[in-house]
């Protein structure tokens, strides 16, 4: 396929995607939820997607049950890699303006070829506002990512991470539960 045709097709996709996004912003939640169930690879029961959220290649994104996607979250899937996915578990809370990326570019090459790797967010995870999760990261069950963190590597289960890049601060202690 010629580069000109690729650009033309991508432009048409981007245009249609923006029209759909505008429609989703105008619909009440009762009508938005069924549309998201059609667009996403999976949207579990009892999950909530707030307004102003963005899903690039939504058929590559799965969201579990009873998960809360706060206002302005962005999910960037990879079109060029068929195996790269974004999976968000059950009972997950994403704060406002969280970004999850499964695609990027190889900075070691001048033409910046596309790269991608799946992102997994385990069950009972809380990701604080304004955090960014980069390609290839797995966030373990019960972990907490502090606000404005940049997660560049895997996060162990039931830990609290923070910073840029995010580093483990401590184990998460739960009242009445022993996670380990």
């Amino acid at each position: 396929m010629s580069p000109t045709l690729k650009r033309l097709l991508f432009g048409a996709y981007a245009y249609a995607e923006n029209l759909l996004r505008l429609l989703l912003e105008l619909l009440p939640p009762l009508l938005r939820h069924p549309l998201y169930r059609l667009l996403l690879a999976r949207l579990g029961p009892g999950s909530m997607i707030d307004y102003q959220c963005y899903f690039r290649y939504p058929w590559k994104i799965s969201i579990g049950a009873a998960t809360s996607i706060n206002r302005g979250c962005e999910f960037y899937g990879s079109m060029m890699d068929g195996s790269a996915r974004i999976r968000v578990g059950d009972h997950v809370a994403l704060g406002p303006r969280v970004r999850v990326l499964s695609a990027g570019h190889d900075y070691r090459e001048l033409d910046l070829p596309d790269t991608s790797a799946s992102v997994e967010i385990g069950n009972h995870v809380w990701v604080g506002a304004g955090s960014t999760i980069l390609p290839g990261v797995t966030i373990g069950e019960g972990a907490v990512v502090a606000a404005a963190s940049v997660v560049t590597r895997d996060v162990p289960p039931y830990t609290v991470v923070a910073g840029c890049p995010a580093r483990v601060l401590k184990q998460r202690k739960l009242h009445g539960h022993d996670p380990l």
Side-chain angles (χ1 to χ4, degrees):
M1 186 181 314
S2 75
T4 303
L5 182 57
K6 278 185 179 179
R7 275 193 297 271
L8 185 64
L9 289 173
F10 182 78
Y13 170 78
Y15 179 74
E17 179 186 50
N18 280 315
L19 286 177
L20 179 61
R21 188 174 177 200
L22 179 62
L23 172 67
L24 285 166
E25 288 299 311
L26 296 174
L27 291 175
L30 187 64
L31 298 176
R32 293 172 73 239
H33 190 81
L35 257 172
Y36 276 125
R37 287 185 71 106
L38 289 172
L39 294 171
L40 295 167
R42 176 175 186 262
L43 179 59
S47 289
M48 188 277 303
I49 299 173
D50 204 347
Y51 286 94
Q52 299 176 356
C53 290
Y54 178 73
F55 298 92
R56 179 61 142 213
Y57 312 122
W59 57 91
K60 295 187 168 221
I61 301 165
S62 298
I63 297 172
T67 289
S68 177
I69 309 294
N70 214 312
R71 184 171 297 260
C73 289
E74 299 174 8
F75 297 81
Y76 293 91
S78 169
M79 185 58 198
M80 61 82 165
D81 183 353
S83 63
R85 302 276 189 252
I86 297 173
R87 291 183 189 92
V88 180
D90 299 334
H91 305 281
V92 172
L94 299 183
R97 310 271 181 238
V98 168
R99 283 192 189 110
V100 182
L101 300 97
S102 71
H105 298 282
D106 186 350
Y107 68 89
R108 298 170 296 182
E109 304 287 336
L110 287 178
D111 61 346
L112 299 171
D114 292 334
T115 61
S116 65
S118 292
V119 174
E120 300 272 344
I121 300 175
N123 298 334
H124 303 284
V125 168
W126 175 24
V127 180
S131 293
T132 300
I133 302 166
L134 296 181
V137 167
T138 296
I139 299 178
E141 180 175 342
V144 175
V145 177
S149 295
V150 177
V151 184
T152 60
R153 65 181 82 141
D154 291 353
V155 175
Y158 296 99
T159 57
V160 177
V161 300
C164 180
R167 302 213 188 284
V168 174
L169 298 180
K170 60 185 174 182
Q171 285 296 121
R172 181 179 182 190
K173 297 190 190 299
L174 300 172
H175 296 290
H177 299 287
D178 185 10
L180 304 175

